[in-house]
Amino acid sequence: MNKMYSNKLSILLLMLPAMILFILFVPVPTASLLYGSLCNWDILSSMEFIGLKNYIFLFTEDMFFWTAFKNNIFWMIGSLTLQILPAFLIALILSRPIKGQKLFRNVAFLPVALSGTAVSLIWYFVYHGEIGILNQVLRLFGLTDFNKAWLMDAEIALFCVLIAVAWQWTGYYMVMMLSGILQIPEEVMESAKMDGANSFHMVKDIIIPYLQPVFKVTIMLATISSFKGFDLVYVMTKGGPNHATDLLALQMYEKSFSSGMYGYGSAMGAVIMGLCIIASGIINFAFRKSVED
Amino acid sequence: MKKNLLFILAVLLIGGMMLAGCGKKDEVAKTTDENQGGQNEENEKEKVEINVWYTANESDPNDRDHAWMSENIELFQKENENITIKTTIIGGAGGADYRTKLSAEIAANNAPDVFMTWGWGRMAPFAEAGKLYDLTDFIQNDPEISKVINEDNLGGVTFDGKYYGIPDAVDLHGLFYNKQLFEENNLELPTSVDELIELCDIFSQKGITPISFGNSVTWAVAIPYSTLLADITDEGFSDELWSGNPPSFTERPYIESMEALNRLVEANVFTENFNGIEVAESVAAFKEGKAAMLLQGTWQCSGLDAALGDNVGFFSFPSLSGNQVIQKAIPKAYAISAETEYPEESLAFLKFMFSPERQKAFSEKGAFVATKDVGIDADALSSVSKDIMDIMSLEGERYTYLFNVAFPDNLTTETQKVIQGCTMGADIEESFEKLQTFKEQSN
């Protein structure tokens, strides 16, 4: 067996199926996307090469690109605030030997198992102007003045969708952080306690430094997901009212499939990919020292 | 050595199976057919399978399209035993999902043989790309079809002087009303916006929603807007709109029509938060007697008949001037793919669908067929259907369509969003200026 693993041909053959699938599903479509972004293409006729015109129009003249970009930045900040921070706090609580720890962990993770469409529909009816639970609860507490069609309010609609996203994904990040906390060596925690460290110092000086690799992964995942955000917004608001909840991925979808501008949609896809790569690079750079430590 | 060889063979086998699994289904099917060809060659040649696509809500017993098409398919296969029809039904409010999937299949040269589509701007890209079968000869020269096709209704399926589809029904947009609620309050049907606002106020004071309206689909708000716009413009303006290259959106008629619509919104004539209400919810509210009127299209007839019977009527949405503006809906039409392998069989199916017998059956399901001389029994129509037929047969009245019916898809969507936004407080002049910029950029 050892001979086989040291045999380069064996290694190559073992990797070959996965490599073929990877090439077919990642570099080839990416190259196709990048070429498509340089063309004018309505999918019904042949591609017409137009160079960088799609990108020039996108960055200088598209009325809704910067609205969608701004919304994606808001989405990213919202994701980090409403998902990563609560996930860390819940993981801290669940890392203690409390009764029902496993039950609470499973309950916190349950929304992750639901499909995006199911979550969207649940929260669509929570926010519904007539029959929504939120308005009914407000009425119960005499706050009828605060009743509104939440997803139709341009000021607040995007925040409402972010709450739904946070509800679904906080458990996912919590599980990762909890796993990281539970792997901290017991003797390190014990010796810190013996040195007089209180809970605050334990978190600040022991847990947070130990969780740096986990923070890096979770922040990267949340950031990249925020640039690719689509399903909940598509089902709950379709980018409305009047582009107030428009996101880059939603714009890409509309330009491609609704408007038949596949070349332009490809350019938007390439921009989203570029933003994800830049964000990954920044996060890697920010965490480089702490991971090395 | 032996173990290594076995291992390498196993890896190649697994890799091969994975790649084979990625192959197309029809390639696998063709291989299967070829293998069996030797034994049943004669039968294979005779037997034909055609693909038929349409959009409908299968779970709604009052969906007239599904009721009619499923009957058509069943009966046609009984009469033509060598033809099998493989049906694809895609639901979703407004048909947006259906249009997306259909466009993708047509673009991938995998179009269904016969499919439902919409006329005007939604059919134009397919016709211009040569993806639709030219039905001109069929419509004009087929002995049976030429007798029943009403060429007045072929405007939306005509491109470069050729016909590319056959419309199935003529529908109107307007207001259904609860006759009992009107009678109880001694109210007559309003003809002008001012009369409508007065009438709606009376209903509101009694806790009845004046007009049940669901605009979460975004497009429906163009119904009242289009009537208001047609009323204050002339036929020349409408012709420009329907040419697909509309007059500048900064022109006053657009702004004044939007201001008139906002008057109605501010007078609370529509359901509260109507932009967040689904069509199905608005229809349900009307059926339950919670609303005096329903803003919708006449395809809702069969469901409203079933729920309210003779208690429901229909009238055109009022205009500013009080003159009637009859608004036609964008027609659905059936087309054949230009790349169909079975044009004869596809044409035979279309001929069956538009035969007098099947058209009568469609009419009995609540449709206002786009054909003529098919023997519809006017006395058998429901009360609301008679109201609608009376309106359709009026001469000398102003007819219009949705003002954005001939626009390209992206411009249609944007106009709907702008009008929706304006009903929620966006600045009207600024919004229509941006719309004009959007139109110029899209060109």
Side-chain angles (χ1 to χ4, degrees):
Chain A
M1 204 61 163
N2 286 333
K3 267 192 185 174
M4 188 178 68
Y5 284 140
S6 64
N7 183 326
K8 287 180 184 172
L9 181 63
S10 300
I11 295 168
L12 183 65
L13 286 171
L14 277 169
M15 286 172 60
L16 197 60
M19 272 175 61
I20 290 170
L21 284 176
F22 173 78
I23 289 167
L24 282 175
F25 288 106
V26 182
V28 167
T30 304
S32 174
L33 173 86
L34 291 173
Y35 179 71
S37 71
L38 302 174
C39 298
N40 194 14
W41 188 38
D42 67 356
I43 216 175
L44 294 170
S45 38
S46 55
M47 285 183 173
E48 180 201 344
F49 185 80
I50 56 170
L52 294 173
K53 279 187 183 169
N54 281 332
Y55 290 100
I56 293 168
F57 185 90
L58 186 68
F59 290 117
T60 62
E61 293 186 57
D62 190 321
M63 295 160 58
F64 305 116
F65 170 73
W66 292 109
T67 305
F69 180 74
K70 188 192 73 180
N71 285 343
N72 272 100
I73 298 296
F74 179 79
W75 187 276
M76 182 186 71
I77 296 167
S79 294
L80 295 175
T81 318
L82 297 175
Q83 293 177 47
I84 304 299
L85 193 57
F88 179 57
L89 294 172
I90 297 170
L92 277 177
I93 295 167
L94 292 181
S95 66
R96 291 166 186 256
I98 56 172
K99 260 190 179 176
Q101 182 199 55
K102 276 189 183 167
L103 173 67
F104 290 132
R105 189 176 61 199
N106 291 337
V107 165
F109 190 77
L110 204 58
V112 179
L114 297 174
S115 72
T117 311
V119 173
S120 310
L121 288 172
I122 290 168
W123 282 91
Y124 174 82
F125 285 106
V126 167
Y127 291 127
H128 195 281
E130 300 291 312
I131 58 171
I133 289 174
L134 182 57
N135 279 344
Q136 289 186 41
V137 168
L138 289 171
R139 279 196 286 270
L140 198 63
F141 287 102
L143 299 170
T144 317
D145 288 346
F146 290 94
N147 277 184
K148 58 168 78 186
W150 298 88
L151 296 176
M152 283 294 119
D153 185 334
E155 304 282 320
I156 205 167
L158 190 61
F159 184 73
C160 291
V161 180
L162 269 172
I163 301 274
V165 175
W167 179 82
Q168 185 180 17
W169 291 107
T170 301
Y172 177 74
Y173 300 118
M174 180 276 296
V175 162
M176 293 168 77
M177 291 183 190
L178 180 60
S179 170
I181 293 172
L182 293 175
Q183 283 180 15
I184 297 173
E186 194 58 42
E187 52 268 25
V188 171
M189 305 286 266
E190 287 296 332
S191 64
K193 277 183 197 165
M194 282 166 57
D195 288 343
N198 58 22
S199 297
F200 175 74
H201 289 124
M202 293 284 278
V203 170
K204 177 174 158 284
D205 298 322
I206 306 291
I207 294 174
I208 289 178
Y210 261 93
L211 280 190
Q212 290 300 304
V214 178
F215 285 145
K216 178 185 162 188
V217 168
T218 52
I219 288 171
M220 193 172 307
L221 286 174
T223 305
I224 290 172
S225 295
S226 67
F227 283 120
K228 299 188 306 177
F230 174 81
D231 50 356
L232 266 74
V233 169
Y234 181 76
V235 176
M236 292 172 81
T237 64
K238 294 247 182 342
N242 203 17
H243 300 283
T245 58
D246 229 344
L247 296 176
L248 292 172
L250 198 60
Q251 276 281 301
M252 178 182 72
Y253 176 87
E254 284 195 353
K255 290 284 189 259
S256 303
F257 297 105
S258 300
S259 305
M261 297 159 63
Y262 287 84
Y264 192 71
S266 299
M268 296 199 89
V271 166
I272 293 170
M273 185 176 69
L275 287 170
C276 291
I277 293 170
I278 292 168
S280 304
I282 293 171
I283 293 165
N284 269 324
F285 182 79
F287 277 89
R288 73 195 182 291
K289 243 188 163 179
S290 31
V291 172
E292 283 165 8
D293 290 344
Chain B
M1 180 66 180
K2 206 176 169 183
K3 273 188 187 173
N4 284 346
L5 272 172
L6 277 170
F7 187 78
I8 289 164
L9 276 170
V11 166
L12 285 171
L13 185 66
I14 292 165
M17 281 164 65
M18 285 164 78
L19 286 171
C22 296
K24 282 184 190 175
K25 279 182 191 171
D26 54 357
E27 286 174 0
V28 174
K30 278 182 187 166
T31 309
T32 311
D33 285 343
E34 281 162 17
N35 286 342
Q36 290 178 348
Q39 288 185 0
N40 300 309
E41 210 167 311
E42 240 178 301
N43 289 342
E44 286 279 334
K45 281 181 187 171
E46 287 173 354
K47 281 188 182 165
V48 159
E49 183 180 271
I50 60 172
N51 281 295
V52 173
W53 279 37
Y54 63 94
T55 181
N57 183 355
E58 289 178 84
S59 57
D60 180 0
N62 294 310
D63 187 313
R64 67 185 196 198
D65 290 320
H66 179 56
W68 181 58
M69 280 301 284
S70 53
E71 259 181 32
N72 289 339
I73 288 163
E74 187 189 337
L75 293 171
F76 181 77
Q77 289 181 110
K78 273 189 187 157
E79 286 186 18
N80 300 272
E81 287 184 2
N82 66 314
I83 302 177
T84 308
I85 295 182
K86 190 177 164 196
T87 316
T88 301
I89 308 165
I90 299 169
D97 291 341
Y98 174 82
R99 282 196 298 281
T100 302
K101 287 180 184 166
L102 180 67
S103 299
E105 292 295 311
I106 290 174
N109 297 322
N110 193 34
D113 299 284
V114 180
F115 53 92
M116 177 202 272
T117 180
W118 285 260
W120 297 99
R122 290 177 185 168
M123 200 183 225
F126 301 144
E128 285 158 17
K131 298 289 185 180
L132 301 179
Y133 191 91
D134 183 357
L135 292 172
T136 313
D137 183 56
F138 177 67
I139 286 171
Q140 289 180 337
N141 299 323
D142 181 277
E144 284 102 352
I145 286 291
S146 58
K147 283 182 194 162
V148 299
I149 295 292
N150 185 345
E151 297 207 16
D152 288 343
N153 293 328
L154 295 181
V157 298
T158 307
F159 302 93
D160 279 338
K162 294 180 188 169
Y163 302 134
Y164 288 101
I166 303 179
D168 63 350
V170 179
D171 281 298
L172 303 181
H173 296 139
L175 288 167
F176 291 96
Y177 71 100
N178 185 313
K179 288 183 179 174
Q180 187 182 346
L181 287 175
F182 270 70
E183 279 164 17
E184 281 171 5
N185 292 283
N186 291 317
L187 295 168
E188 290 189 6
L189 297 181
T191 55
S192 71
V193 165
D194 289 330
E195 285 174 13
L196 180 65
I197 291 175
E198 264 181 53
L199 179 142
C200 289
D201 191 46
I202 295 170
F203 282 122
S204 296
Q205 284 176 19
K206 298 194 173 187
I208 301 167
T209 303
I211 301 177
S212 187
F213 182 36
N215 191 48
S216 64
V217 287
T218 317
W219 72 266
V221 75
I223 297 175
Y225 182 81
S226 301
T227 290
L228 295 168
L229 182 65
D231 181 47
I232 63 171
T233 53
D234 58 21
E235 302 266 1
F237 192 94
S238 297
D239 287 342
E240 279 192 72
L241 285 173
W242 301 333
S243 71
N245 189 17
S248 170
F249 290 115
T250 54
E251 291 195 15
R252 283 307 300 173
Y254 295 110
I255 313 296
E256 286 172 15
S257 304
M258 194 64 237
E259 286 168 352
L261 180 56
N262 272 356
R263 259 186 68 206
L264 288 164
V265 173
E266 284 155 18
N268 296 317
V269 308
F270 301 121
T271 311
E272 200 180 346
N273 302 318
F274 62 88
N275 283 310
I277 304 290
E278 300 278 335
V279 168
E281 289 176 63
S282 69
V283 173
F286 179 72
K287 282 181 182 174
E288 289 164 16
K290 293 178 183 171
M293 292 169 278
L294 168 71
L295 178 57
Q296 254 297 314
T298 53
W299 56 84
Q300 298 287 354
C301 260
S302 48
L304 295 177
D305 271 340
L308 296 166
D310 288 343
N311 193 27
V312 60
F314 181 87
F315 64 102
S316 298
F317 196 91
S319 62
L320 281 165
S321 66
N323 296 325
Q324 181 166 211
V325 177
I326 301 170
Q327 193 179 121
K328 288 187 181 179
I330 184 170
K332 282 193 192 130
Y334 285 86
I336 295 177
S337 164
E339 287 150 7
T340 179
E341 291 177 15
Y342 308 110
E344 279 181 28
E345 289 81 2
S346 302
L347 285 168
F349 182 57
L350 270 193
K351 195 164 171 174
F352 181 79
M353 283 167 62
F354 290 95
S355 62
E357 294 76 29
R358 297 312 308 152
Q359 289 294 288
K360 271 184 76 175
F362 198 26
S363 172
E364 283 158 14
K365 289 166 178 39
F368 303 97
V369 295
T371 46
K372 63 180 182 186
D373 301 332
V374 291
I376 305 289
D377 180 7
D379 291 331
L381 296 174
S382 65
S383 166
V384 65
S385 295
K386 283 182 186 162
D387 278 357
I388 294 166
M389 292 293 282
D390 287 342
I391 293 173
M392 284 184 187
S393 57
L394 286 173
E395 288 181 6
E397 301 289 324
R398 178 74 187 274
Y399 277 83
T400 191
Y401 285 95
L402 286 177
F403 82 108
N404 54 6
V405 73
F407 296 177
D409 248 344
N410 60 338
L411 185 58
T412 302
T413 307
E414 200 50 40
T415 51
Q416 291 161 2
K417 286 183 180 177
V418 162
I419 295 171
Q420 187 189 51
C422 288
T423 63
M424 290 192 292
D427 184 87
I428 298 175
E429 292 199 15
E430 193 184 314
S431 298
F432 276 84
E433 267 175 35
K434 281 187 183 172
L435 183 59
Q436 178 58 22
T437 307
F438 178 86
K439 177 188 161 247
E440 287 162 5
Q441 287 178 351
S442 302
N443 292 337

